[in-house]
Amino acid sequence: MTHTPTTDVLIAGAGPVGLSAAAELRRHGVSCRLVDRLPARLPYAKAVGIQPRTLEIWDRMGLARTVMESAVPLRGQLIYVNGAERARIELMLPPEVPYRFAALPQYETERILEEHLAGLGTVIERGTELLSFTQDGDGSAGGVTSLLRTASGGEEELRTRYLIGCDGAHSTVRKGLGLSYEGGAFAEEYMLADVVSDWDLPDGYGLRSMHQGADGSTDDALVCIPLPGRGRYRMSMLVPPELSAQPPGGPGSGSAGGPGAGDGVRHGLEGGRVPELSHIQAVVDRLAPAPATVSGMRWSSVFRISHRIVDRYGDGRVFVAGDAAHIHPPTGAQGMNTGIQDACNLAWKLALVLRETAGPALLTSYDAERRPVGEEVVGRTVRHATEGIENEPDDPRTVLLREAQLLVGYPAGPLAGPPFGPADAPQPGERAPDCGGLTLPIAAYPSRLLDVLRGRAGHVVLLYGADGAALAEAAERARAAGPAPAEGGAGEDDLRTVAVLAREAAPDAGAGLPAPVPGYRDAAGEFARLYGCDGPTGFLVRPDGYLGARFPLSATAAALSGYLASLSAPAGSAPA
């Protein structure tokens, strides 16, 4: 058995969630190893929808442009019932939202994340499986000992400070922690296929076509999501009788032939039963809004859907994220995107604890913030799968913002500071909105707030006002509020990145500012409008793009010191 030097974090599972966790940890200067039992990336378009909120997070990481160059836009969905168009959903968001809905096959998402991670010096250890783990100790002496089976067939014992399970619905990490995984399963079996159709649907529109009986129940369905490539779609539909059977593992088994078979979780792709093009064509013949021929099938599979969520997102030094924590219907493309946000929420907190900028109690906020989100997503996707998103009682704008995951927030979470300013303005725990119209004296073009935040690994303090001298003083107080960067860390302190956003009427925003604090001018007044600035105001933006604090400019030092204290001991939590 081989013993290796300690690394900070071991991540089990190199899907989009595990890759995002690794990329975010590396961005914060944390060492990690990423293992996956599969010898190569799977060529399946399982998760295809990319939500606008995910693109905002990837923008902060420097990934959004690469993703957009590979993806296709999702402009809407056509809904047919018994051959007649019943509804047309337009995926229109407010103009201040920087990104729209997009579609990208999961294998392409994984490729982009994998190449980005390699550029940060970390590669996936393929064919390496986590067999078991134990955790022990407190403080710097504590850690996790994991037993790995390597690609060569040998075993390796690895000592790390933390372990993250991004290893899917049949998670070894979840089982090792003994977490409950309550929920249920849909009785129906489905087919997935990646094909080309020659119909004349408008570009960028998905299709949901159903047949309903006299009692209003749906007995046949076809769902199509556009993919990159002319006429290419990922189609899903009910399994025909000739393919319907229990998987080889028996009733209640997991993916046929895969890990977790027999664990009672019926979720994901199965082996053994592969639909042919004729099976797909038969459904298209019945349900397509116009005659169409399918061809060019890249892959197909049978899959099942469950809805489950763990009772907690971690225990001690071990955590779960993505499908290891929550599974649900693919309605609205919520699963992968929710998992990616799990990973980013946890990664920046682990980085602060590992650098001893925050106390271990900060890690309890991961469950406090993310599990309520998982519970809401599971409930909503189950409801949409059975009743349809078009039957949501909320107004269409709210429905789309929620589907885009732009309404996710933690205003009642343990890290949210006290509110300040207008009640309808963004408050601590809520998403920090993007805005445009920010100018610098040297640039001949305006910037967006995302441009200001991009590439900055730590927290960012934003100061808004009209008095240049007061802004400079507040910037000095902000820079003095946080601890100095840890030796060997990411090189950027977590509370010292400060940008000043001055009103148009203010003198040169950069005058008198402590170097190298950038001074932007809110030339279009968009920041003041979207952030509800009714006077000199400061904001602290967390690494995951949520507001950590909002405060009067005169209270900059006290507000930031209070926030820093909350990182060491989140309210209502105990040290891990």
Side-chain angles (χ1 to χ4, degrees), residues 27-51:
R27 189 168 78 96
H28 287 274
V30 174
S31 64
C32 63
R33 286 178 61 178
L34 177 60
V35 301
D36 195 285
R37 67 176 184 84
L38 296 174
R41 190 186 315 125
L42 292 176
Y44 304 140
K46 294 185 292 182
V48 298
I50 306 293
Q51 301 296 351

Side-chain angles (χ1 to χ4, degrees), residues 40 78 87 94 116 158 162 168 245-246 313 317 396 451 469 477 493 522 558:
L78 310 176
H116 176 76
L158 175 67
Y162 294 95
Q246 293 292 344
Y313 274 29
R317 296 176 174 274
D451 298 325
R477 292 194 296 269
D493 181 72
D522 183 24

Side-chain angles (χ1 to χ4, degrees), residues 461 463 473-482 495-496 498 556-557 560:
V461 179
L463 304 174
E473 290 176 8
E476 288 281 14
R477 292 194 296 269
R479 287 175 56 80
L495 291 180
R496 289 188 182 223
V498 182
T556 295
L560 297 183

Side-chain angles (χ1 to χ4, degrees), residues 31-349:
S31 64
C32 63
R33 286 178 61 178
L34 177 60
V35 301
D36 195 285
R37 67 176 184 84
L38 296 174
R41 190 186 315 125
L42 292 176
Y44 304 140
K46 294 185 292 182
V48 298
I50 306 293
Q51 301 296 351
R53 181 59 182 153
T54 300
L55 285 168
E56 287 184 353
I57 289 173
W58 280 343
D59 188 300
R60 186 86 181 259
M61 297 168 64
L63 273 166
R65 185 185 67 184
T66 306
V67 172
M68 289 190 294
E69 290 174 349
S70 301
V72 294
L74 286 179
R75 297 186 170 92
Q77 184 182 60
L78 310 176
I79 300 174
Y80 282 78
V81 177
N82 295 345
E85 184 173 332
R86 178 69 60 85
R88 179 181 291 230
I89 298 174
E90 302 290 344
L91 299 179
M92 297 295 293
L93 292 168
E96 64 267 17
V97 176
Y99 295 113
R100 302 296 178 247
F101 297 87
L104 187 67
Q106 182 170 328
Y107 53 81
E108 279 294 282
T109 299
E110 292 178 358
R111 177 190 62 80
I112 291 170
L113 286 166
E114 184 175 349
E115 291 176 356
H116 176 76
L117 183 60
L120 297 173
T122 298
V123 298
I124 302 171
E125 298 177 41
R126 297 280 186 189
T128 300
E129 182 178 3
L130 174 67
L131 300 177
S132 63
F133 63 89
T134 58
Q135 57 176 317
D136 58 82
D138 297 320
S140 59
V144 182
T145 302
S146 300
L147 181 62
L148 306 175
R149 179 182 293 125
T150 66
S152 64
E155 292 186 350
E156 176 186 357
E157 191 174 84
L158 175 67
R159 181 76 170 169
T160 60
R161 296 284 300 279
Y162 294 95
L163 168 64
I164 307 176
C166 305
D167 47 347
H170 308 289
S171 170
T172 297
V173 175
R174 184 186 66 244
K175 295 171 188 175
L177 284 178
L179 305 181
S180 70
Y181 203 39
E182 299 299 325
F186 285 79
E188 297 85 359
E189 299 172 279
Y190 300 86
M191 296 187 294
L192 275 183
D194 181 342
V195 297
V196 171
S197 177
D198 64 358
W199 54 35
D200 193 25
L201 290 183
D203 288 342
Y205 281 77
L207 169 70
R208 182 154 62 91
S209 182
M210 301 164 287
H211 180 270
Q212 294 181 344
D215 61 354
S217 63
T218 299
D219 55 24
D220 204 0
L222 170 67
V223 178
C224 307
I225 305 297
L227 297 176
R230 184 175 180 83
R232 185 161 289 280
Y233 292 82
R234 193 207 65 185
M235 297 185 176
S236 60
M237 59 213 74
L238 293 171
V239 165
E242 64 268 24
L243 284 180
S244 181
Q246 293 292 344
S253 73
S255 300
D263 66 0
V265 180
R266 299 188 302 174
H267 189 82
L269 302 181
E270 296 185 355
R273 293 178 289 156
V274 180
E276 298 178 359
L277 194 62
S278 59
H279 294 116
I280 311 303
Q281 184 67 60
V283 180
V284 170
D285 289 344
R286 295 196 304 270
L287 295 175
T293 301
V294 293
S295 60
M297 186 164 70
R298 288 175 173 164
W299 65 272
S300 66
S301 179
V302 170
F303 76 104
R304 293 174 177 267
I305 298 173
S306 290
H307 49 93
R308 294 174 179 267
I309 188 166
V310 292
D311 57 329
R312 58 195 190 281
Y313 274 29
D315 186 8
R317 296 176 174 274
V318 184
F319 305 89
V320 290
D323 284 359
H326 46 79
I327 52 175
H328 41 80
T331 318
Q334 299 294 293
M336 179 187 71
N337 294 273
T338 301
I340 288 171
Q341 293 186 50
D342 292 342
C344 292
N345 182 288
L346 177 58
W348 71 264
K349 296 171 181 177

